[in-house]
């Protein structure tokens, strides 16, 4: 994996996504507060979406947009060698 796809970059992306999800603005004509929840694509709950319902297309979705899951490791053995699986292994498995 190159520096473009590193644990540090993925953590920064998660942080940015959280900041964007928390943004609140006022609509200029109505004065109504607008959040991501008001404009997101939520196909499974289109009438009353929560932020968890919003469809996020991001590499971090492979870790459920969760920093704890990104940091997880697991012991792995093929019968001969034992090693540790981390975010890289998880991403390779998923794609």
């Amino acid at each position: 994996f190159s520096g473009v796809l590193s644990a540090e970059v993925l953590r920064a992306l998660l942080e940015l996504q959280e900041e964007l999800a928390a943004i609140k603005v006022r609509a200029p004509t109505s004065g109504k507060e607008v959040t991501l929840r008001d404009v997101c694509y939520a196909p499974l709950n289109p009438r009353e979406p929560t932020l968890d319902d919003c469809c996020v297309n991001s590499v971090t979705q492979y870790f459920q947009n969760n920093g704890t899951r990104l940091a997880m490791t697991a012991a792995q053995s093929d019968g001969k060698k034992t090693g540790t699986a981390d975010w890289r292994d998880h991403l390779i498995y998923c794609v």
Side-chain angles (χ1 to χ4, degrees):
F1 290 87
S2 71
V4 174
L5 189 59
S6 67
E8 294 80 26
V9 170
L10 292 173
R11 281 192 295 273
L13 182 56
L14 277 169
E15 186 177 312
L16 177 60
Q17 285 177 198
E18 289 171 5
E19 289 174 17
L20 291 172
I23 290 177
K24 297 177 183 181
V25 297
R26 293 258 175 227
T29 53
S30 69
K32 179 185 175 204
E33 184 177 84
V34 180
T35 66
L36 175 61
R37 185 185 143 220
D38 298 309
V39 297
C40 79
Y41 175 59
L44 299 178
N45 188 10
R47 295 183 203 270
E48 291 294 325
T50 66
L51 283 179
D52 290 335
D53 295 320
C54 295
C55 180
V56 175
N57 294 315
S58 170
V59 67
T60 60
Q61 188 63 40
Y62 290 109
F63 309 97
Q64 292 77 42
N65 294 316
N66 183 304
T68 302
R69 289 197 172 114
L70 174 63
M72 289 175 93
T73 60
Q76 180 174 316
S77 176
D78 67 0
K80 297 177 184 177
K81 293 189 283 182
T82 300
T84 302
D86 64 4
W87 67 271
R88 293 174 195 90
D89 301 289
H90 180 75
L91 189 59
I92 288 170
Y93 179 77
C94 288
V95 294

